[in-house]
Amino acid sequence: MARLADGRILMVWRNDPGFNVTLMAQVSSDDGKTFSQPAVPMNGAPVPAGAPGEVLVRGPFGVEPRLQLLESGVLLMISGRPRMYIWALPAGADPLTDEWYPYDLGK
């Protein structure tokens, strides 16, 4: 979980035991008393899987996601499996609908 620059709380979790599944997210505007319904898959660019034309998923994926809001307003998320990724969301972007940008730390 992380508090966003606009004060909302973002909650992110893994929804499936597989690694090729987009992470899910919800936001709360009332300090965690309620969260947006329904939970939605996070959005992002397809990540190449290795073989030509093969992609993992469109959007952040992995295990044990961790969030950190930077002073600049950029939201970072790190996740693992099949490699370590840092996902970046530009300042002011909506974490549920705008695109997260992947940085593969395993290459």
Side-chain angles (χ1 to χ4, degrees):
M1 273 196 258
R3 186 166 300 271
L4 303 174
D6 63 9
R8 296 181 299 159
I9 295 172
L10 173 65
M11 180 171 56
V12 175
W13 69 95
R14 185 174 173 218
N15 198 39
D16 184 271
F19 71 85
N20 194 14
V21 177
T22 303
L23 294 170
M24 302 295 286
Q26 289 178 294
V27 294
S28 174
S29 298
D30 57 10
D31 286 329
K33 293 180 184 107
T34 62
F35 281 85
S36 56
Q37 295 294 327
V40 295
M42 299 173 77
N43 188 23
V47 175
E54 183 181 18
V55 297
L56 293 174
V57 294
R58 182 171 182 86
F61 58 87
V63 298
E64 299 188 21
R66 300 290 187 261
L67 296 162
Q68 179 67 48
L69 181 65
L70 303 180
E71 287 183 16
S72 65
V74 171
L75 184 60
L76 297 179
M77 179 174 58
I78 190 165
S79 65
R81 199 178 300 157
R83 294 182 298 273
M84 295 295 294
Y85 282 88
I86 293 177
W87 304 89
L89 184 71
D94 186 311
L96 300 184
T97 59
D98 290 334
E99 186 170 333
W100 289 76
Y101 296 92
Y103 298 91
D104 185 347
L105 299 178
K107 287 190 173 183

